Amino acid sequence: MSDDPLHMPRACDGRAPDVFRPGGWVPMRQYRESEPVDFAIVGTGAGGGTLACKLAEHGFSVVAFDAGPYFRPLEDFASDESEQTKLYWTDDRIVDGDNPLQLGSNNSGKAVGGSTVHFAMVSLRFRPEWFKSRSVLGYGADWPLDWREMWDYYAEVEQALKIAGPVTYPWGPRRPRYPYRAHPLNGAARALAKGCEALGIKWTETPLATLSAPRGLAHPCVYRGFCVTGCSTNAKQSALVTWIPRAIAAGAEIRDLAMVGRVEVEPSGLVSGVHYHRDGSWRFQRARNVVVAGYAIETPRLLLNSATARFPDGLANSSGLVGKNLMAQSNQAVWGRLEQEVRSYKGPPSLAITEHWNYEDKGKDFFGGYSYMSQGPLPQLWANTLFSARGLWGESLVEAMKDYNHVVGLKIVGEMLPQESNRVTLSDEVDQYGLRIPRITYSWCDNDKRLIDHSLKFMRRALEAVDASDIWIQDDDTCHLNGTARMGSDARSSVVDADCRSWDIPNLWICDGSVFPTVGGANPSLTIQAIACRTADRIRALASRGELEAGSSRPSIQRRSIEVQRS
Amino acid sequence: MHERSDRYPGYDVLAKWSGPSWNDKTREVITRRLSIAPEPRFFTADEYETVVAIADRIVPQPADRPPVPIAALVDRKLDDQIMDGFRRPGVPRDGEAWRLGLKALNAEAAAAYGKRFAELPEALQDKLLRAAQSGELASGEWGGLRCEVFFRHRLGRDIVLAYYAHPTAWSEIGWGGPASPRGYVRLGLDERDPWEAAEATDGGDATAFRSNRRVR
């Protein structure tokens, strides 16, 4: 128990775990609580981890907090679904609405690196039109970002993560080729490809954030198939093994097992730091700027829990929109049986994809789009799917499970529309820190249902085209959460501006999937990281013009060499 | 030696224990799981008896091998306070939901048949479980917990996850199992690495058996 990352902070005493070496450490700068740092960042996932890296490399002093443990994947991760639930955010939460969300495995993370420690690595760009979905496509809300600018930041993230993908991508405007070659297809991906070809639509190898060639101390993917339960070989390019080592090398401090419970606001109306719980007590870190990057539930929860007499409805909430417009993505599936052995447990679960219905608008009776991908459920997940979605138990469950190696499936990532009634509020119950727990209310709208219906019919045809038998549909799953602190160009109808800066409090920022006005039909992690890279560049530009809050405009440390672990 | 229903005759995922498919952390985790004694820590003796009976119906096990101690696995998860982390309004947290649901299920058994759930014949146990699954049980003992929510999100989920967390179940379904650091090489349709389970096809039992005995 002397080195138990779940119960004892590891990033202390001027050092942090070396994620590339069992038992290893790297030196880490530490900041005093009493002296304000330029940026206190709450959360170290796709948003916060990326931003911590980029701001530190721009020369700002940064402390990034994560409520979760600091793992070394090579020694801490088992090849075991049960054990690896330690990667999920499983603090107490209430879910309601007509379609209560299931939380945990595919939409939350509690670790340094956040959900990227167990994400499926699917790294897609948004369709350009989605950034103007209200004006161009007639639904949702416009983003205040230009797709061409985002295209440049996508390229930066794809290089930073060495995304493995196809030489040419079949949809959308031109993009550079992916840095690393695409991974080979597994049986499930081959079935997807064959189905697409039979139906006359394009498919491609999925751009994935797992290595197809060596990179520094990280080896290429060995196709062990446990991606969504944490990669134990470091092929996965999570924030934990990419942005965060860079952040530390550039002078950022990471504090693990540090739950931020309140953002402090001064009488001036500016924020002055964060109250956080670590090692059994509440502490306070002073900061010139605070960035909330806790994802779509914890971000609004923290803003609401930080209410003061001056901001009785929570911070950054003059629009009344904090917590509202929560968006999940549809995650429905069609499953069947192939006479051949598929053994989809091998390799990343989604090695092949079609974005056809993200880019084709004809033949739809709904707004928005969806992609669909091949699937590779591990045994526990598959058994629970057969039980909960198909209603099997007893002998029928045991017999169906014996067909595990023949199962083939297609699953969508579908766009759900923003609705103010889908929201995060505070319950009266409190958690282990004494903080009010979130209540998450979710109901599908008619458009969501029509999209789901379209996708299920289409994917059924795709499985019929590969001669699958015993086809059935799983109609009630969701994934990825976004929204609850949307960005926009008007303070009355959004929470932050295009730079992720809150309209109400100029030194309070939000940088994670919360800022999405719409979600599109593509996995959000690449876009979250691209926005974080852009935000860091914008902050540097604002600082150089003296447009950050007093005292925060001067980079306080010297830029250090980056990627020392990889040299 | 093995029944015809054995799809992967002779396959034992644990045979790879010392090979390159199992890393130290996995061995540590599975060692702990395999050493769990079939007795309760979280549940009372009465509650545990009911969980054992329910688990026998949700995941019936063959008599010709040592059973997976499903109830004990569920018990340890609750005792260790490993939670899903989300629940409907009015539904207590995971451990308390189990206690409430077991009490209600026994109340239903007593009201309908004058016996405890565990004392009922299998057919009546199944009937009660089917009624819970379809939301037909409405004894006052359920309180704010709807029987179909308890069945789907707590009872069945925890039992199914417990069983398929055990190497015995992995061998039964022919899963390749833990694979770090070795991973897999042959990924395509109808392709199989030598350390994966061979499926018995018509008339091919003996071939599969020989192949599976060599898995390391």
Side-chain angles (χ1 to χ4, degrees), chain A residues 322-401:
Chain A
V322 168
K324 293 182 180 169
N325 293 304
L326 171 68
M327 292 168 287
Q329 285 179 311
S330 329
N331 203 205
Q332 280 68 17
V334 177
W335 302 99
R337 180 189 195 282
L338 290 192
E339 198 53 40
Q340 295 161 295
E341 290 185 338
V342 182
R343 297 181 189 261
S344 66
Y345 54 82
K346 293 184 281 189
S350 300
L351 281 163
I353 182 173
T354 177
E355 280 208 77
H356 177 79
W357 290 111
N358 272 340
Y359 286 83
E360 176 59 66
D361 294 321
K362 292 192 211 100
K364 286 177 179 169
D365 60 349
F366 57 90
F367 290 119
Y370 64 87
S371 51
Y372 73 78
M373 290 163 242
S374 53
Q375 293 297 304
L378 292 175
Q380 277 191 310
L381 173 62
W382 181 240
N384 188 53
T385 300
L386 289 178
F387 168 77
S388 63
R390 211 179 182 185
L392 299 186
W393 53 276
E395 291 292 348
S396 60
L397 173 66
V398 173
E399 283 309 306
M401 279 302 289

Side-chain angles (χ1 to χ4, degrees), chain A residues 8-75:
Chain A
M8 290 281 286
R10 273 179 168 171
C12 314
D13 306 325
R15 64 182 195 175
D18 182 347
V19 294
F20 297 107
R21 294 182 175 87
W25 301 94
V26 293
M28 180 179 74
R29 181 164 175 157
Q30 279 190 272
Y31 293 92
R32 280 193 281 185
E33 291 175 327
S34 55
E35 290 178 17
V37 289
D38 292 331
F39 286 88
I41 300 177
V42 185
T44 63
T50 307
L51 189 67
C53 169
K54 296 288 293 182
L55 287 178
E57 289 179 354
H58 287 345
F60 294 100
S61 57
V62 172
V63 176
F65 300 81
D66 205 288
Y70 205 139
F71 291 116
R72 291 187 196 95
L74 296 177
E75 69 181 23

Side-chain angles (χ1 to χ4, degrees), chain A residues 268-319:
Chain A
S268 64
L270 294 176
V271 300
S272 58
V274 296
H275 297 271
Y276 68 103
H277 191 274
R278 198 186 197 202
D279 251 347
S281 62
W282 283 100
R283 312 182 65 89
F284 182 68
Q285 173 67 51
R286 295 189 65 201
R288 298 187 183 95
N289 291 271
V290 171
V291 184
V292 182
Y295 208 24
I297 297 175
E298 292 303 311
T299 284
R301 180 192 181 205
L302 177 58
L303 296 172
L304 296 173
N305 265 326
S306 299
T308 64
R310 182 183 181 128
F311 299 110
D313 300 322
L315 306 187
N317 201 16
S318 66
S319 65

Side-chain angles (χ1 to χ4, degrees), chain B residues 39-199:
Chain B
E39 55 195 39
R41 282 189 194 161
F42 173 83
F43 290 122
T44 65
D46 283 355
E47 288 167 345
Y48 191 74
E49 178 198 32
T50 310
V51 178
V52 169
I54 294 170
D56 279 346
R57 304 315 307 145
I58 299 293
V59 188
Q61 300 190 53
D64 61 352
R65 62 156 165 80
V68 172
I70 299 173
L73 290 167
V74 173
D75 179 275
R76 277 333 168 270
K77 178 179 167 184
L78 296 171
D79 196 52
D80 293 341
Q81 296 190 44
I82 295 167
M83 305 280 174
D84 284 345
F86 60 97
R87 54 196 169 89
R88 311 281 175 99
V91 174
R93 298 189 74 185
D94 302 6
E96 287 313 302
W98 261 108
R99 291 199 200 284
L100 181 60
L102 293 172
K103 192 171 152 218
L105 211 51
N106 271 319
E108 299 280 1
Y113 309 112
K115 289 184 174 171
R116 300 170 45 72
F117 182 89
E119 295 164 349
L120 297 177
E122 291 174 354
L124 292 182
Q125 290 178 338
D126 284 354
K127 195 175 168 191
L128 270 178
L129 291 172
R130 274 195 299 275
Q133 183 179 23
S134 53
E136 294 161 20
L137 301 179
S139 152
E141 297 285 349
W142 291 96
L145 182 63
R146 296 214 313 266
C147 62
E148 72 276 20
V149 170
F150 173 67
F151 183 86
R152 180 171 169 179
H153 294 284
R154 198 69 294 124
L155 176 156
R157 174 183 167 83
D158 285 346
I159 286 173
V160 166
L161 291 179
Y163 181 72
Y164 287 100
H166 198 281
T168 297
W170 302 343
S171 299
E172 180 177 67
I173 64 171
W175 178 45
S180 182
R182 171 160 57 182
Y184 299 105
V185 177
R186 296 159 188 83
L187 304 180
L189 293 164
D190 272 339
E191 288 183 3
R192 179 174 65 83
D193 283 327
W195 54 93
E196 294 181 86
E199 183 173 358

Side-chain angles (χ1 to χ4, degrees), chain A residues 457 459-468 471:
Chain A
K457 284 178 177 150
M459 291 191 294
R460 176 182 280 274
R461 285 175 54 204
L463 280 194
E464 285 166 355
V466 297
D467 298 323
I471 296 173

